[in-house]
Amino acid sequence: GLGYPVIGSKEARAIYARAHIPSGVGTPGGTLAAAVDALGPLPLMHQPGERFTYGLGVDVLGRLIEVLSGQPLDQYLRTRIFEPLGMRDTYFYLPAAARPRLATLYTEDAAKKTVPLVAMGNLRADYPNANGTYFSGGGGLSSTIDDYAVFLQMLLNGEYRGRRLLQPETVALMTQNQIGAVDQGVNKFGLGFSVITAKGAAETGLSEGSYEWGGIFGTTYWVDPKEKIVALLYTQKYPNTTAADLSAKFKRMVYEAILKRNVPQ
């Protein structure tokens, strides 16, 4: 029943704006603790389990990690996930040495020409370079395609270079339907991923049971356990009128390559 600021429904945007609830993207000030405390008393958009709504649930999860671990979320993720997996380029806010490497974020002008995005409302395109204190569980991290591929490979294989972070049963729970008869488009939702159904597989070409998600600035990825695939496509553009078409073509090309590989010569 939790909604989202900025990109959520009209009601969610109004309620969260009045309560100063941050989206977690380009909102470096404040703390996760204060935001979740302020979110708690606010009305839900609907009863839990009634329908699927993309919202602040992962931010609440991030705060639960802080409470249960006794650590700030950035410290917990660094010591428990990033360092064990060798993810050296994943941060909430970039250290000074990494700031020159921040990718340019692009947008489209009125003529649909691609141009650098300097700012959008209160969102500055270089927000990862801030000295921020807000560690958003749902949208705060900046990373590289290599680092995130390592994370996905760990989920696919159960471990990465001998480091096991999660039990196989935990990964199974994350990547299977957790919303029952409720739908997320044509697919289902696990614990953090969209889970591809038979109908979703027919539309996208991904194997049923694959899991995927993406980022607002043009990042898309999926894991296909059947074909043992980790696939990522990262662009840096918002809004982008060709994003959906680009993602669909990328998926089709990946699976066409598999078919060609499996055809006897």
Side-chain angles (χ1 to χ4, degrees), residues 135-205:
F135 307 127
S136 167
L141 289 170
S142 296
S143 188
T144 63
I145 197 167
D146 287 341
D147 263 18
Y148 203 65
V150 165
F151 178 76
L152 296 178
Q153 195 74 51
M154 180 271 295
L155 293 179
L156 175 63
N157 293 350
E159 61 180 41
Y160 182 76
R161 292 183 176 176
R163 304 302 299 265
R164 179 179 294 279
L165 303 187
L166 299 169
Q167 292 294 329
E169 295 83 0
T170 303
V171 177
L173 285 172
M174 293 170 62
T175 57
Q176 63 186 244
N177 176 22
Q178 296 291 341
I179 58 175
V182 174
D183 290 325
Q184 183 252 317
V186 298
N187 294 314
K188 297 295 183 178
F189 203 77
L191 302 176
F193 299 106
S194 178
V195 180
I196 304 300
T197 62
K199 187 174 182 179
E203 291 187 3
T204 64

Side-chain angles (χ1 to χ4, degrees), residues 16-220:
Y16 295 153
R18 284 196 295 269
H20 305 290
I21 305 297
S23 69
V25 177
T27 53
T31 65
L32 187 58
V36 174
D37 284 350
L39 178 66
L42 301 179
L44 298 175
M45 300 301 108
H46 54 81
Q47 289 299 314
E50 187 175 271
R51 62 180 184 270
F52 178 84
T53 297
Y54 186 48
L56 290 168
V58 182
D59 286 80
V60 175
L61 176 60
R63 178 56 186 154
L64 286 174
I65 290 173
E66 291 189 331
V67 172
L68 295 172
S69 69
Q71 295 178 293
L73 186 59
D74 65 330
Q75 182 180 340
Y76 181 88
L77 294 180
R78 179 148 307 282
T79 58
R80 299 296 293 271
I81 299 177
F82 305 153
E83 290 178 352
L85 293 180
M87 296 171 64
R88 299 181 179 88
D89 286 321
T90 304
Y91 304 94
F92 280 102
Y93 302 99
L94 303 183
R99 290 176 183 178
R101 296 170 54 206
L102 180 65
T104 300
L105 179 59
Y106 293 91
T107 189
E108 293 178 351
D109 62 16
K112 304 301 182 186
K113 181 181 178 181
T114 298
V115 295
L117 173 65
V118 177
M120 181 180 295
N122 295 325
L123 174 67
R124 288 182 53 86
D126 62 349
Y127 72 86
N129 287 339
N131 294 316
T133 56
Y134 190 84
F135 307 127
S136 167
L141 289 170
S142 296
S143 188
T144 63
I145 197 167
D146 287 341
D147 263 18
Y148 203 65
V150 165
F151 178 76
L152 296 178
Q153 195 74 51
M154 180 271 295
L155 293 179
L156 175 63
N157 293 350
E159 61 180 41
Y160 182 76
R161 292 183 176 176
R163 304 302 299 265
R164 179 179 294 279
L165 303 187
L166 299 169
Q167 292 294 329
E169 295 83 0
T170 303
V171 177
L173 285 172
M174 293 170 62
T175 57
Q176 63 186 244
N177 176 22
Q178 296 291 341
I179 58 175
V182 174
D183 290 325
Q184 183 252 317
V186 298
N187 294 314
K188 297 295 183 178
F189 203 77
L191 302 176
F193 299 106
S194 178
V195 180
I196 304 300
T197 62
K199 187 174 182 179
E203 291 187 3
T204 64
L206 276 63
S207 301
E208 184 177 359
S210 298
Y211 46 97
E212 66 172 354
W213 204 244
I216 193 170
F217 298 137
T219 55
T220 186

